[in-house]
Amino acid sequence: MTDISLPAAAGLGTFERWLSIWVALAIGAGLLLGNLFPNLFSFLASLEVASVNLPVAVLIWAMVYPMMVGVDFGALRQVGDKPKGLIVTLVVNWLVKPFTMAALGVLFFEYVFAGLIPPKDAQAYLAGVILLGAAPCTAMVFVWSNLTRGDATYTLVQVSVNDVIMVFAFAPIVAFLLGVTDIVVPWDTLLISVGLYVLQPLVAGYLTRRNLVAKGGEAAVGAFKSRVQPFAILGLLMTVVLLFGFQGEVILDRPLVIALIAVPLLIQSYGIFFLAYGAARAWGIPFNVAAPCAMIGTSNFFELAVAVAISLFGLGSGAALATVVGVLVEVPVMLSLVAFANRTQHWFPKEEGAS
């Protein structure tokens, strides 16, 4: 993994600037612990409600909560005055991303890698990457937005609108791309995930912010966010440990397959980011909106993709494996893009009052 230490100007602490190192160590720890203590990770994996893993939900909640404290509900009415970021997000997420992911999957699994992967396995991996491509990010984007000092309120609106569209568009798009007419989408998983990863921390953040503003104004909010930020990073690292612990044995047993699946995912991730980021720059969108709007499409709602893959094809399927590889690819990719965005923020106009 490439070192992506960030410049001091990015406003990140020492621990955050070396986050790529800690994530690499967390991946290694997850793989090691998953193979040393498979029964423990089997037990943790069994703690689910509607296919939502509860330990992972708690950790993601810890990641999102500090970001939610920065949300100023009074500014929500102004978001309609700045629709450009929303337009870029929605066009890239729903008119571009699912179809380019499917095209790349077909190109690599049916043609480029045809001699390396049995046709049946290739179809399973293709199904997995399609599920990832049709599920743009929800919870984790708050982490990436926070690391680029994105506008917390605008990020919330982007994610909220994205979630509403996902409820109606995910199943039809996946069904079309997979050629399946009766796909079963776990709606309870989708709704519970949104409640756990967005709604609950949003309510907690609002109540916390209101209390802090009453006591000490915005200075108190800033001081509180600085104190809780380490817990958000810890939540990210522990999430990585768990996810790779759950699939550690499979990943170590099939390294070549993992590398092959990662190729189209890497191309897709960087391609989608630079498409959205370039559009935002060309349109003069402020950096604290441009960075999050590019991150939403680049990152994936992997919890939903994994749950649907397991529901449709089984826990040990190639489709489920491909969605887990999506997590493997996403963390270092997103960290590298966070670093790139922070180093190129001077390309964009600045906006007063950025969160």
Side-chain angles (χ1 to χ4, degrees):
M1 187 183 303
T2 304
D3 169 36
I4 59 160
S5 55
L6 304 178
L12 302 180
T14 301
F15 187 81
E16 293 166 289
R17 287 190 288 115
W18 293 97
L19 188 56
S20 58
I21 303 299
W22 315 134
V23 169
L25 293 175
I27 291 174
L31 294 174
L32 178 63
L33 294 174
N35 282 272
L36 291 178
F37 306 103
N39 292 335
L40 171 61
F41 279 86
S42 295
F43 170 72
L44 293 174
S46 70
L47 300 176
E48 293 185 343
V49 174
S51 299
V52 174
N53 184 266
L54 296 181
V56 172
V58 171
L59 292 171
I60 292 180
W61 197 95
M63 285 187 277
V64 173
Y65 170 66
M67 179 73 172
M68 294 303 193
V69 174
V71 173
D72 180 5
F73 281 89
L76 286 178
R77 66 179 66 94
Q78 302 173 8
V79 171
D81 299 332
K82 302 175 293 182
K84 294 181 179 179
L86 273 175
I87 293 173
V88 171
T89 296
L90 297 180
V91 169
V92 170
N93 281 3
W94 298 108
L95 298 182
V96 178
K97 181 181 179 182
F99 306 99
T100 54
M101 186 72 266
L104 285 169
V106 170
L107 173 64
F108 281 94
F109 296 130
E110 295 188 0
Y111 295 97
V112 178
F113 299 149
L116 301 174
I117 302 175
K120 184 177 179 180
D121 291 345
Q123 288 301 307
Y125 302 147
L126 174 59
V129 299
I130 285 175
L131 288 171
L132 283 169
C137 192
T138 54
M140 287 294 287
V141 74
F142 291 109
V143 178
W144 313 128
S145 177
N146 198 29
L147 291 175
T148 56
R149 296 299 185 262
D151 185 321
T153 302
Y154 205 95
T155 299
L156 172 65
V157 172
Q158 288 175 303
V159 170
S160 299
V161 174
N162 190 67
D163 286 343
V164 171
I165 293 176
M166 191 183 307
V167 170
F168 299 100
F170 179 79
I173 288 176
V174 169
F176 172 74
L177 292 175
L178 291 179
V180 177
T181 57
D182 58 347
I183 184 173
V184 178
V185 175
W187 299 108
D188 52 352
T189 297
L190 175 59
L191 296 176
I192 290 175
S193 294
V194 171
L196 286 173
Y197 304 149
V198 178
L199 182 59
Q200 287 188 3
L202 175 61
V203 171
Y206 166 74
L207 294 175
T208 301
R209 180 186 180 87
R210 186 175 67 174
N211 183 57
L212 290 169
V213 170
K215 292 181 177 179
E218 290 298 326
V221 174
F224 179 82
K225 288 179 64 178
S226 296
R227 290 196 300 270
V228 298
Q229 182 62 28
F231 295 100
I233 302 301
L234 181 61
L236 171 63
L237 297 180
M238 291 303 299
T239 300
V240 171
V241 170
L242 282 183
L243 291 174
F244 285 91
F246 293 154
Q247 293 285 337
E249 184 176 350
V250 175
I251 291 174
L252 292 178
D253 286 346
R254 306 170 74 178
L256 176 60
V257 169
I258 302 304
L260 295 180
I261 295 173
V263 171
L265 293 177
L266 284 168
I267 295 173
Q268 166 81 352
S269 296
Y270 285 110
I272 288 296
F273 174 85
F274 286 111
L275 174 64
Y277 203 63
R281 183 187 182 192
W283 212 354
I285 297 174
F287 176 75
N288 64 339
V289 171
C293 92
M295 299 288 179
I296 292 175
T298 308
S299 189
N300 296 304
F301 189 180
F302 56 79
E303 299 88 359
L304 176 63
V306 170
V308 175
I310 292 172
S311 174
L312 290 176
F313 305 106
L315 182 62
S317 66
L321 177 61
T323 57
V324 173
V325 176
V327 185
L328 174 66
V329 169
E330 176 167 320
V331 174
V333 165
M334 295 307 297
L335 289 172
S336 70
L337 292 175
V338 164
F340 176 82
N342 280 322
R343 286 172 174 151
T344 57
Q345 57 184 290
H346 61 279
W347 291 355
F348 297 81
K350 294 186 180 296
E351 185 174 43
E352 294 182 3
S355 297

